[in-house]
Amino acid sequence: MLSGVTRTTDGATIERAPRHRSRLRIHRAWIVAAVTFVTIIGGAAFNSLPGLLIEPLNEEFGWSRGEIGLAVSLDMALYGLTAPFAAALMDRFGIRRVVVVALSAVAAGALASYWMTAVWQLMLYWGLLVGLGTGSMAMAFSATVTNRWFVARRGLVTGILTAAGASGQLVFLPLCAWIVDRHGWQPATVTVGLAAFVVVPFVWLLMRDHPADVGLAPYGGAYVEKPGPVTGAATRAVRVLIDAARTGPFWLLAGSFAICGASTNGLIRTYFVPSAHDHGMRITAAASLLAVIGVFDVIGTIFSGWLTDRFDARRLLAVYYALRGISLLFLPVLMAPTVHPPMVFFIVFYGLDWVATVPPTLALCREQYGDDSAIVFGWVLASHQVGAALVAFLGGVVRDVTGSYDLVWYAAGALCATAALMALVIRRKGTAPVAAVH
């Protein structure tokens, strides 16, 4: 039973529920988390496409892999650079409005790709529209929802929401691979565009910006009033970056996360399928392996969130990066025309480690930067995507020049070892002075 109805600053109805929360069988925070999970899946549908379409676009239009890789890199870079501003915009205009606009941009870019015939259109649709849209629903979105709606179980929820991207890969990769194999690349772009549009009503009807909108306390915490809109979103995002950039931990987190992006989104997600195809494997088989990574990514990320609530995040990151680097060094010799047990082992192992780095990285951002942690994490995520963008472009160039992706696998393995060392030297806040960066 509602005790009253008012209006929020964004025009939405506030449901003033009674404070007797013991009558609620499921806390509203879990419903919001579920909507966020579905939203990220819908927005991430497009991420299944680039690795599947490199060869078809090369064959149909004669575009080089470097040109296609440049469009993918623009998408990834904008994905990252948009994230911190999106977090600030959510503070200003509300989560619902920002996410609805973002989903619409992804859908428009994906659907417009159906009619593209020139490289500049690829850059516009894939790079600009999809990049801005997916960036507005990046991990900073998950961080904002988690910080507002949860006090307890933050690590677990972070892991679950991070795994949503992998779940989208699990759903859409095999489907899009089958569509591309049977019907061509255009119907696949329509599929992911419609998937983004379908999610919009769920966000508008079920998402709420703050627990106070429904008269609740955050899960595991005390009731607090909803803060007013924060003006100057862009200024705030830049100010937070300037303040964070004066500290050593920011550069260590940003640098290690850039390597994370280079070795996942930029490398495996973009070039695993075409690399396997180079060795004689069918695109559908390679895409299925990449989808299996998504299965174990969900398990690994949720488990990593559980571990982050209990163990030192620095040591977890060091272990994750070291194991990832070792596995990449073995990948070139595992490529073959057919799927064999060692390759399956690599897929399972890499899936468990894929974005297991996110919960401890976000935990370290919270520890170091407090109330600004969501925006700081947005900037750290920007570095993740810049690293991914560089490898997405350079990987295509290396393949054009050398005829193989092997050099990229070895280089990424070495970079992961560097990331492991960077994680270990991050100091705990308050245990020692943090070196300023001038």
Side-chain angles (χ1 to χ4, degrees):
M1 181 176 68
L2 297 178
S3 58
V5 175
T6 59
R7 293 278 178 183
T8 66
T9 55
D10 66 357
T13 299
I14 296 180
E15 304 162 13
R16 288 295 181 185
R19 297 293 175 83
H20 303 292
R21 289 179 287 145
S22 59
R23 296 181 181 179
L24 295 176
R25 302 179 67 179
I26 299 177
H27 194 285
R28 183 64 177 266
W30 294 108
I31 297 175
V32 172
V35 174
T36 304
F37 188 91
V38 173
T39 301
I40 295 172
I41 289 177
F46 183 85
N47 292 332
S48 303
L49 281 182
L52 301 176
L53 301 190
I54 289 175
E55 296 302 322
L57 292 177
N58 173 260
E59 292 173 5
E60 180 167 341
F61 298 111
W63 301 337
S64 72
R65 293 171 181 82
E67 289 175 321
I68 299 170
L70 182 60
V72 176
S73 70
L74 178 60
D75 164 55
M76 291 182 177
L78 285 176
Y79 176 99
L81 295 172
T82 301
F85 294 98
L89 286 171
M90 288 177 187
D91 288 341
R92 173 65 179 88
F93 297 106
I95 296 174
R96 282 201 304 178
R97 287 182 173 179
V98 173
V99 173
V100 166
V101 171
L103 284 168
S104 300
V106 172
L111 292 172
S113 299
Y114 184 92
W115 294 281
M116 67 182 177
T117 57
V119 172
W120 70 265
Q121 293 171 326
L122 183 70
M123 304 291 177
L124 175 62
Y125 303 147
W126 284 24
L128 184 62
L129 285 176
V130 175
L132 292 174
T134 54
S136 298
M137 297 179 293
M139 295 173 190
F141 168 40
S142 301
T144 300
V145 170
T146 304
N147 288 349
R148 290 187 186 183
W149 282 90
F150 291 88
V151 174
R153 301 290 187 269
R154 278 181 172 175
L156 176 63
V157 174
T158 299
I160 292 172
L161 295 183
T162 303
S167 300
Q169 176 177 298
L170 171 62
V171 172
F172 287 99
L173 253 176
L175 173 63
C176 289
W178 179 84
I179 292 173
V180 170
D181 190 50
R182 297 292 182 90
H183 305 287
W185 63 270
Q186 289 98 333
T189 65
V190 173
T191 300
V192 298
L194 293 177
F197 264 134
V198 165
V199 180
V200 170
F202 291 95
V203 174
W204 191 252
L205 294 174
L206 298 176
M207 177 65 71
R208 292 295 181 270
D209 293 328
H210 194 277
D213 286 349
V214 288
L216 294 175
Y219 182 81
Y223 180 86
V224 293
E225 293 293 337
K226 181 179 180 179
V230 179
T231 59
T235 302
R236 183 186 176 206
V238 174
R239 176 184 56 78
V240 169
L241 171 63
I242 292 172
D243 291 342
R246 294 192 178 104
T247 66
F250 174 80
W251 294 104
L252 293 168
L253 288 167
S256 59
F257 219 42
I259 294 171
C260 177
S263 57
T264 52
N265 292 355
L267 186 59
I268 296 291
R269 178 171 286 170
T270 305
Y271 291 116
F272 178 81
V273 172
S275 180
H277 187 63
D278 281 350
H279 288 78
M281 186 179 292
R282 289 179 58 86
I283 288 180
T284 49
S288 296
L289 288 175
L290 200 56
V292 172
I293 285 181
V295 176
F296 290 93
D297 183 5
V298 174
I299 298 170
T301 308
I302 294 174
F303 185 54
S304 177
W306 183 85
L307 290 174
T308 301
D309 286 333
R310 291 162 174 78
F311 299 101
D312 186 348
R314 297 152 190 78
R315 294 184 180 180
L316 290 176
L317 283 178
V319 171
Y320 296 158
Y321 285 126
L323 293 176
R324 181 183 299 179
I326 293 170
S327 66
L328 284 172
L329 295 177
F330 283 98
L331 181 56
V333 300
L334 299 179
M335 291 292 184
T338 58
V339 179
H340 51 89
M343 175 59 82
V344 173
F345 178 80
F346 170 84
I347 292 297
V348 171
F349 182 84
Y350 211 82
L352 292 172
D353 190 72
W354 182 271
V355 284
T357 56
V358 172
T361 299
L362 181 51
L364 290 173
C365 285
R366 288 197 195 100
E367 176 187 309
Q368 297 288 336
Y369 304 106
D371 292 339
D372 289 329
S373 62
I375 296 177
V376 172
F377 182 70
W379 286 112
V380 171
L381 175 63
S383 72
H384 180 281
Q385 293 306 113
V386 169
L390 286 172
V391 171
F393 171 62
L394 294 175
V397 173
V398 169
R399 171 61 175 79
D400 288 334
V401 173
T402 68
S404 170
Y405 293 102
D406 289 357
L407 181 62
V408 189
W409 305 125
Y410 293 135
L415 284 173
C416 286
T418 303
L421 294 176
M422 294 172 73
L424 287 175
V425 300
I426 298 173
R427 296 180 184 273
R428 285 185 178 277
K429 187 173 183 179
T431 60
V434 177
V437 178
H438 300 289

